[in-house]
Structures are given as C-alpha cells and as structure tokens.
Amino acid sequence: MTYDQTLEYLFTRLPMYQRVGKAAFKKDLTNTLKLLENLKNPHKKFKSVHVAGTNGKGTSAHGIAAIMQTAGYKTGLYTSPHLKNFTERIRINGKEVSPEFVIEFVKKVIPVIEEINPSFFEITVAMAFEYFATQKVDIAIIETGLGGRLDSTNVITPEVCLITNIGYDHMDMLGDTLEKIAAEKAGIIKKHVPVVIGETLPETAPVFEQIAENNEAVLIKAGISNWKPKVLVPAYLLKNMGGIESVIHELIRQGWDITEKHISDGVEKINELTGLKGRLQVLGESPLQIADVSHNVDGLKSLFDQINQLKKGQLHLIFGSVKEKALKPIFDLFPKETKLYWTQSSVPRALSVEELAIQGVMHGMEGECYQNVNEAIDAAKEKARPEDLILITGSTFVVAEVDEL
C-alpha cells in the first residue's frame, strides 16, 4: 500500500471518534492489550509521563516535551487529534513519524485488525508505542484521549501522571457530574506512581485524594507558576504552567537532569520544538487573525478573556461546532458587539451551518453563514479594518481546515 492508501484504510476501516463520535469510543482496554501483545509489548520498553484532563492536557503535554527536549533527552510525544496531517500525532523531538513507518506498521498489524476490529484510536496508540520503543526514546509524553481509566493509553506505567483540570465535557461518555468525570480521569493513577493535580475543585479534590490513597500514590497539588513569558502565549499555557513545572520538579527529584533554564527556554520555544498548532496561533496581521482549537466552556472562556485583553477593534468571530455540543453556555461567552460568521467542518460530526444559525437566532444572535471556514475567513478579511481582530474557533475540525494553518 502507498501512504495515501494506508491512511484511507485506517480512516475507512476503523471507527474514528473525531469523525463519527460516540460510536467509536470503546470503554475497554482489551483491544489495546491484544494489539500490544502482538507487538511484544512495546509500551513496557520506554519511560513516560501520562497526561489527562478536560482542558490543557495537549498544551501541557507539548510543554513537558519541549522542556525534556531542551534538557537534551530524546523525547517522544503522542497527542490527538491531528490538525493537518496524521503524522502530527506521533513525534520524537518535534519531528513527525515518517510515512514509511506508518505504512510498515499497518501492514504488520492488518491480520490482528481484521481479527479484533479495533478503533482508530487504539491503532494509533499502538503505533505510537511501537515507534517510541523501536526508536529508543529516553522518555515519551503521552496524552490521553477522552477519559483516563479506560483510555487506550492507560496501559503504561509512567514516572509521573498529570491531571490538568476537570470540567464539563464529553458528559455523555464520562459522566454527568464533576465527581464522575474526575473519577474517570483519575483512572490513570497507578500504584506508587506520583500524580500531579493541576487544579482542584471542592467536588473533585476528595475523588483524587481517595484514588491516590487507594494506589499508595503521592499526590502533588500544583502551585501557581512564577514564569513570565517574553512572548504572547495562550492564557491556558500560563494556567497550566503550575502543573507542568510540578511534573518537571518531580522528574528532577527522581534524578532526571533538568534545570530551571531548561524549563523557561523549553516553554518559550514550545511551537518550534514540538510543532504545537492551533493554540492562539497567529495567521496574519492587520487585521490580526488568530486560530484556536478551544471548544468547550472552560477553554473558550479563557480564550475570550485573553482576546479581550488585546484591546483590538471589532471582533470578527468565525465559529463552528460539533453536533453533540450544548451551545447556550458557549454563546453566553461571546463578547458583546461581535460580528458573527457561522461555519462548519467537513467531518460527519460537524453541526451544519444551517442548524448553527438557527440555534444562534434562538439565542438572539445573528450571523452570516459559510459552508467552509476559508470562505468565512475571506469574508471577514474583506469586512475587517486593520485594527480589528478575526478569531477562528469553536471546533478542532474547523481550525484544522484553515488553509493557512
């Protein structure tokens, strides 16, 4: 198979949550363990850090990876979903996995794919672990998918775990209370493995404490970071720096050779070191154009708070969503006097622009409709003044389809 044929096989043969939603979510580790056993258990051949949470887990994973790279360690990084290219999910020192490895890996596991019918996510996790093992990384930073307890990544025994925060997202799969969601995320806590909690709430603190106690795991509550960035960075990177630093300090305690300079230098260069995209990413100037993958209430609140601090002119908001999202709490966050451009992505989960516009009207919001994000961007550029701000957000999949990303 060619690389394109290999990806076509993966995308069409395997259920992929990002495309079809809940039907692809498998709350069971059986398939992952079978895949890894078939590969001679690569997940047991490298050291790791495991990162879960509702918001900030991707940013935190990239931040930890950037610091470890800066400290001179050969660092694997597994994140999801990808924005432009499948290979973004699996990196070593910022370099994406090669198409050749993807082809050879899929060829090797086709018999077991046909036998057990794994999900897309289960296959990509196994692929990442095989790649990190064969490339002999010093450490790999592994981001969970949706949950924690039954997430496909939850077969590793890391040096330290990080749970960034808990918020209301994916409630149809993880539970309808903060306590239930926290219990799922806290499922990554392992026997005698330290766990950093980036943010605790009255509802979630007892859950973390009990599960850590049950596992005889040291629980570390992240403090507030004193890091002062020299460049514009997403507010949620600043918010997650306490957790990132606590993870690094635990690794230092364990004997890893990392300095405070490695921490500051690594995070300052997070984009170029790890290829982080879609987080307060500047696409153009005059008017300023920013793309951000925030898509739930907590993430969007943080984003709009930061946008307001920029003190630009008119906000031109290009917004799309997925079908299962509760939109009223999100609409309530939109800054007043915002010019709205409704759009949609091309994935099956996308909420149609027509339905989005109807929901907008129901909440007193009028916007123009565009069938894809690039048409919306062109329209916003025509109408915006140099001092205005164009913001593209609401869905990872909308941002992924921006041509200039």
Side-chain angles (χ1 to χ4, degrees):
M1 290 191 291
T2 66
Y3 178 61
D4 287 342
Q5 289 169 334
T6 301
L7 291 187
E8 182 66 19
Y9 174 80
L10 291 177
F11 290 143
T12 56
R13 173 69 178 77
L14 308 176
M16 179 183 178
Y17 175 77
Q18 277 73 30
R19 293 182 61 79
V20 302
K22 189 175 180 179
F25 183 55
K26 298 188 180 179
K27 293 182 82 168
D28 189 301
L29 295 176
T30 306
N31 280 349
T32 303
L33 291 168
K34 280 185 179 176
L35 280 164
L36 293 170
E37 186 180 354
N38 183 264
L39 296 163
K40 299 186 171 54
N41 296 316
H43 60 301
K44 296 181 179 179
K45 298 175 183 174
F46 57 86
K47 296 182 185 297
S48 60
V49 173
H50 206 186
V51 184
T54 301
N55 288 301
K57 64 181 185 291
T59 306
S60 295
H62 279 267
I64 296 165
I67 293 164
M68 298 307 289
Q69 285 174 235
T70 304
Y73 291 105
K74 187 174 185 179
T75 305
L77 176 62
Y78 175 75
T79 57
S80 63
H82 61 274
L83 284 178
K84 287 293 189 184
N85 303 307
F86 171 80
T87 50
E88 292 169 21
R89 292 170 179 254
I90 304 169
R91 305 169 189 264
I92 294 177
N93 286 356
K95 186 177 179 183
E96 297 173 18
V97 63
S98 70
E100 291 74 22
F101 182 88
V102 176
I103 294 167
E104 291 306 312
F105 177 85
V106 172
K107 271 188 197 169
K108 184 163 57 174
V109 298
I110 279 179
V112 71
I113 289 176
E114 300 299 332
E115 178 191 345
I116 68 175
N117 191 33
S119 71
F120 180 90
F121 189 75
E122 287 165 337
I123 284 292
T124 59
V125 167
M127 185 188 299
F129 292 172
E130 175 78 348
Y131 189 57
F132 297 152
T134 58
Q135 294 296 312
K136 296 182 169 55
V137 297
D138 295 317
I139 194 166
I141 318 304
I142 309 295
E143 178 198 7
T144 63
L146 295 181
R149 183 173 65 93
L150 295 174
D151 187 82
S152 297
T153 63
N154 200 29
V155 294
I156 55 175
T157 302
E159 308 303 291
V160 56
C161 301
L162 168 64
I163 301 173
T164 57
N165 70 354
I166 302 297
Y168 290 109
D169 202 13
H170 303 298
M171 292 183 290
D172 53 338
M173 287 169 282
L174 302 181
D176 57 2
T177 67
L178 291 176
E179 292 90 341
K180 289 179 183 176
I181 297 169
E184 287 296 320
K185 304 284 187 183
I188 70 167
I189 298 173
K190 305 291 192 307
K191 283 278 183 189
H192 308 297
V193 174
V195 56
V196 173
I197 306 300
E199 174 186 280
T200 51
L201 302 168
E203 300 93 333
T204 63
V207 177
F208 295 141
E209 288 163 6
Q210 186 62 60
I211 294 176
E213 184 181 329
N214 293 347
N215 285 279
E216 300 175 49
V218 174
L219 187 147
I220 303 161
K221 292 183 179 176
I224 297 171
S225 172
N226 293 318
W227 178 63
K228 297 288 189 292
K230 299 170 190 162
V231 294
L232 178 65
V233 297
Y236 40 84
L237 175 56
L238 293 172
K239 183 178 179 180
N240 284 288
M241 271 304 294
I244 292 169
E245 289 178 343
S246 294
V247 165
I248 296 298
H249 289 149
E250 172 57 27
L251 290 173
I252 292 170
R253 190 194 67 76
Q254 293 179 20
W256 295 78
D257 186 12
I258 313 162
T259 67
E260 293 299 319
K261 189 170 191 310
H262 292 145
I263 295 174
S264 58
D265 288 355
V267 181
E268 288 282 357
K269 297 177 181 175
I270 186 171
N271 290 40
E272 63 186 82
L273 287 170
T274 69
L276 180 64
K277 290 182 180 177
R279 271 78 166 186
L280 208 74
Q281 185 172 348
V282 175
L283 305 177
E285 303 280 354
S286 191
L288 182 62
Q289 300 145 53
I290 291 175
D292 193 283
V293 295
S294 295
H295 56 273
N296 56 36
V297 171
D298 291 343
L300 286 164
K301 183 179 185 309
S302 175
L303 173 63
F304 288 129
D305 285 347
Q306 190 163 15
I307 290 299
N308 288 336
Q309 290 171 23
L310 293 177
K311 297 190 175 10
K312 300 300 270 182
Q314 171 85 55
L315 173 62
H316 298 256
L317 177 59
I318 298 169
F319 184 88
S321 184
V322 289
K323 291 173 184 171
E324 63 268 24
K325 194 73 66 180
L327 290 175
K328 184 183 184 308
I330 290 173
F331 288 160
D332 289 344
L333 298 173
F334 290 0
K336 289 183 171 43
E337 310 302 323
T338 296
K339 183 160 183 53
L340 292 167
Y341 304 73
W342 304 124
T343 191
Q344 65 186 52
S345 69
S346 60
V347 303
R349 283 178 65 208
L351 182 66
S352 74
V353 69
E354 292 81 12
E355 177 59 29
L356 183 56
I358 289 168
Q359 292 208 38
V361 169
M362 287 168 57
H363 293 95
M365 295 183 170
E366 295 282 350
E368 298 174 3
C369 293
Y370 297 90
Q371 291 301 313
N372 71 70
V373 67
N374 294 298
E375 289 178 6
I377 292 170
D378 287 343
K381 282 181 181 175
E382 282 185 15
K383 294 173 182 175
R385 301 165 300 173
E387 64 271 22
D388 289 350
L389 170 62
I390 298 171
L391 175 64
I392 306 110
T393 193
S395 165
T396 301
F397 314 107
V398 165
V399 172
E401 292 176 10
V402 173
D403 286 342
E404 290 134 344
L405 197 70

